[in-house]
Amino acid sequence: MSETAEKFETAMSVWKQWQEAPWGRLRYAIAEANLLRHFGERAGEPLRVLDLAGGDGGDALSLAARGHHVTIADHAPAMLAAATERAAAAGLTDRIACVEADVNALPAGIARGEFDVVLCHNLLQYVDDVRRTLAASLAPLRPGGLFSVMAINRHSAPLTAAVREMDLAAATAALDTDQARTQMFDSALTLHTAEEITRHLSDLGCQDLCHYGIRSVCDYITDDARKHDPAFYDGLERLELALTARHPYMHTARLFQLTARKHLR
C-alpha cells in the first residue's frame, strides 16, 4: 500500500469512529431534523435528493431509509465505495446511486436533474470559490426545491480554542483569521459565517432562508466521556434540538446549517 493510500485508509477509519461518536451522531441527527421541518406535505412521498460531496453516505442513508431516492456525488472513489457498501448492508441499494464527480463539474444529467432537495454539507470550507460552488450546487435543484448547506462556523473557532484547548493565544488569533486546519484529513480549511453564506444565497436568488446551529453546546462540554452515557446523550440531543433554531445560540454553534428555496422561474 502506498503512503498516500495508507494515509487515506487511516483517515477513513478515524472518520468512521467520528461518525459513531456522540458529536458525529448529533451532527447527523440535528441536520436531518432541520431538513424534515421543510419537507412539509411532501414528507410522505419519495423525493429526489442530491447529496453533493456526500462521502460515505452519512446523510444519504437516513433519507433513503425514509423512502427517498438519493444520488451521492463525490470525487473520492473510496468514499463512494464505502457508501455503496453501507447501502447494500442496509438494504437500500435501490434508493441510493453513487456518482464520481466534482461539484463544479457535474455530469449533464445531474446538473440538469431537477432534484427536489440538494444537500451541500461540509464542503464549503474546502473550496476556493464559495460563490461558484454555491451556484453549481443550486443548478441541479428544481425551482422551489429545498437547498441545505452546512459548514464549520467561523464564530465558533475562538470559543473552541479557548474552552476545549485552553489556548487563549490561539483563541485571540482566531478572531482575525478565517484559516484553520483539519487533522483528520490533513487539509487546510477556510471558515465562513452563516451571515456571509446567507448573502451569497440571497444574491443567487434563494428565498425563505432559515439559519440553524448544530452542536450549539456539545463542543463546549469538555467531558467527552460523559457524552457516551446513553441517558446523558439523550438529554444532550434534546437540548441541541431545542437550541438549533433559537437566537442567539445558532450564532456560536460549531456548525451552521442554512436552508433555502430556489427561486421560482
Side-chain angles (χ1 to χ4, degrees):
M1 181 181 292
S2 68
E3 182 178 350
T4 300
E6 185 175 359
K7 183 178 178 181
F8 191 80
E9 287 293 333
T10 300
M12 285 285 289
S13 177
V14 174
W15 172 239
K16 183 178 180 182
Q17 293 174 17
W18 183 92
Q19 288 178 306
E20 295 172 350
W23 35 93
R25 291 161 57 198
L26 282 173
R27 170 259 184 260
Y28 289 103
I30 306 305
E32 182 181 29
N34 291 337
L35 275 176
L36 295 179
R37 294 170 183 246
H38 299 278
F39 281 14
E41 296 178 355
R42 301 196 64 188
E45 64 180 90
L47 299 175
R48 295 188 64 214
V49 182
L50 175 60
D51 189 1
L52 296 171
D56 62 348
D59 287 305
L61 265 72
S62 182
L63 292 172
R66 292 181 178 274
H68 306 297
H69 297 277
V70 187
T71 298
I72 302 173
D74 199 287
H75 73 279
M79 283 288 190
L80 294 175
T84 299
E85 290 178 6
R86 293 179 70 183
L92 298 170
T93 301
D94 59 332
R95 295 183 196 160
I96 291 183
C98 293
V99 177
E100 185 178 343
D102 184 271
V103 64
N104 291 312
L106 293 171
I110 293 180
R112 298 192 299 270
E114 295 285 304
F115 287 90
D116 300 301
V117 181
V118 171
L119 310 182
C120 181
H121 290 175
N122 287 333
L123 172 61
L124 295 187
Q125 56 260 36
Y126 295 102
V127 305
D128 295 325
D129 190 336
V130 169
R131 181 67 163 262
R132 179 189 177 204
T133 298
L134 288 172
S137 300
L138 287 165
L141 189 62
R142 67 169 177 80
L146 179 65
F147 184 60
S148 175
V149 58
M150 179 194 302
I152 297 174
N153 177 19
R154 181 180 169 186
H155 292 319
S156 73
L159 291 173
T160 300
V163 176
R164 291 202 62 84
E165 302 166 17
M166 298 290 287
D167 190 336
L168 303 186
T172 302
L175 292 170
D176 297 312
T177 181
D178 62 0
Q179 296 300 297
R181 192 163 192 87
T182 170
Q183 294 182 350
M184 187 181 303
F185 295 108
D186 192 23
S187 299
L189 304 175
T190 300
L191 305 185
H192 306 281
T193 67
E195 294 83 358
E196 172 192 350
I197 303 305
T198 293
R199 287 193 294 272
H200 285 308
L201 292 176
S202 296
D203 290 344
L204 290 168
C206 289
Q207 303 168 338
D208 303 327
L209 276 84
C210 294
H211 177 191
Y212 301 103
I214 295 180
R215 303 210 313 260
S216 299
V217 295
C218 175
D219 288 45
Y220 308 124
I221 298 174
T222 57
D223 187 350
D224 286 342
R226 184 82 183 277
K227 300 168 192 175
H228 289 271
D229 175 75
F232 187 85
Y233 176 85
D234 288 344
L236 182 57
E237 184 174 298
R238 286 193 297 272
L239 177 59
E240 292 284 357
L241 286 168
L243 294 176
T244 185
R246 185 170 297 196
H247 179 83
Y249 306 102
M250 75 274 277
H251 297 289
T252 53
R254 183 56 177 158
L255 306 166
F256 65 80
Q257 181 181 9
L258 301 173
T259 61
R261 295 283 176 184
K262 186 174 181 177
H263 67 282
L264 296 171
R265 290 171 183 154

